[in-house]
Amino acid sequence: MSSFTIFAIGYAILIAGLAWGAFALGVSGQWIAIGSVILAGIGIITGVTSTRRRDKTDASMKEG
């Protein structure tokens, strides 16, 4: 499994838990959906930036 996949699964579990808690508190389903979409977007951006590998450039290949 890649690092991004593990990150995405963990973030999905976090979002599901928060949505369940919001539902238990009586928050409207519309607001739960909006919050879930926003959190999913933040999770994707965070996951990609923290797990992506740097591209090899000509300058970095000459150094190593």
Side-chain angles (χ1 to χ4, degrees):
M1 250 190 216
S2 70
S3 297
F4 179 77
T5 304
I6 295 170
F7 185 90
I9 290 170
Y11 214 83
I13 292 170
L14 173 68
I15 292 172
L18 290 173
W20 185 15
F23 178 77
L25 288 173
V27 177
S28 171
Q30 178 182 4
W31 289 110
I32 293 172
I34 291 170
S36 297
V37 169
I38 291 170
L39 287 174
I42 292 170
I44 290 170
I45 292 169
T46 306
V48 168
T49 56
S50 64
T51 60
R52 76 177 181 128
R53 296 181 183 154
R54 299 285 178 201
D55 294 333
K56 297 282 184 180
T57 61
D58 291 334
S60 66
M61 294 175 93
K62 289 178 183 176
E63 292 176 4

